[in-house]
Amino acid sequence: MMRKIKASSAQAMLPIDRFARWVLIAVTAFSILLLIGPSLIVIAISFEPRAYIAFPPSGFSTRWYQAVFANQQLLDSILVSVRISLAVMAICLLIGVPAAFASIRGTFRGRAALNAFLLSPQMMPGMVIGIASLFFGAYIAFRASDLMLILSLSVFCLPFVVRIVMARLADLDPLLDEASANLGAGKLETFVRVTLPQLAPAICAASAFTFIEAFDNVTVSLFTSDVRARPLPVELYYLVQFDSSPIIAAISSLEIGLSFVVMLIIAKAVGLERLGR
């Protein structure tokens, strides 16, 4: 009798389960649409043949992509952004990987304070870091320049590297390091030959995220970049105030494509499934 009651109650719950599943699918699809919808609209606008932004586009034209590559000022700003982003990525990796290792594997006093110090820039808006860097530079007579921009963006992006590498280090088995030490390897050799290869997926992910964040950052760059060699986000900030043509959408589409290419390279190199391990 009890089995019949349980079976009947389970059958009665089936429509509710189906309804809940479809609601979950609908919410997930709507969330994905909210995430990728704006990017798709920007890409569509970039092919608008007319000289003003309109959606849906009235036709298909690549004239604005040609205009991007014909604009020497935009090309110079792209090169500046690439150079700055590579420098920021290198600095963040050189500091962030050892700092994350010390935060996870270290046994010294003040480790919690070190973690809070390393991750504190993540709690502040980029504009605050940019303004603080500007005033600090003015106080010590250090004008806005590529060096100030690199240092400011490194402060802003460093917590992301530290967090990603720390998450990976927390999942590694410390017994592997002990086994390496028992076999006669020193701490540096153990780190290079045992720990570092296991950190490769996290380092690749941190590198990609840092490069994209530094390349596309406007809140810090606006206050610390050199006015004579402006990076692409700052150039776009000034361009959007005086130009309403789809060339801005074309540049944005190229940045979206850059992010996709970077993630594709990581997927081919280490596999996206390994980034979370």
Side-chain angles (χ1 to χ4, degrees), residues 5-25:
I5 295 175
K6 290 181 180 179
S8 60
S9 61
Q11 291 177 356
M13 289 295 293
L14 284 178
I16 298 178
D17 292 341
R18 293 196 197 99
F19 176 76
R21 184 180 64 179
W22 283 111
V23 168
L24 180 61
I25 292 174

Side-chain angles (χ1 to χ4, degrees), residues 229-262:
R230 296 185 297 207
L232 183 60
V234 178
E235 191 66 35
L236 289 179
Y237 175 80
Y238 289 109
L239 182 63
V240 74
Q241 300 180 54
F242 307 103
D243 193 340
S244 60
S245 68
I247 190 173
I248 300 171
I251 300 172
S252 302
S253 299
L254 291 174
E255 292 193 53
I256 294 172
L258 173 65
S259 303
F260 179 78
V261 169
V262 170

Side-chain angles (χ1 to χ4, degrees), residues 113-128:
L114 176 63
N115 292 341
F117 175 76
L118 291 173
L119 300 177
S120 59
Q122 198 174 27
M123 309 300 173
M124 294 183 290
M127 185 173 294
V128 173

Side-chain angles (χ1 to χ4, degrees), residues 20-84:
R21 184 180 64 179
W22 283 111
V23 168
L24 180 61
I25 292 174
V27 171
T28 303
F30 182 70
S31 301
I32 294 175
L33 181 63
L34 288 179
L35 290 174
I36 67 174
S39 299
L40 295 177
I41 292 175
V42 169
I43 294 173
I45 291 174
S46 67
F47 295 104
E48 169 63 53
R50 294 173 295 185
Y52 57 89
I53 294 175
F55 183 83
S58 60
F60 181 86
S61 174
T62 59
R63 60 177 293 197
W64 301 113
Y65 290 94
Q66 298 172 10
V68 171
F69 293 103
N71 191 321
Q72 189 59 44
Q73 189 172 358
L74 285 176
L75 293 179
D76 292 340
S77 65
I78 292 174
L79 292 177
V80 170
S81 291
V82 171
R83 184 176 70 248
I84 296 296

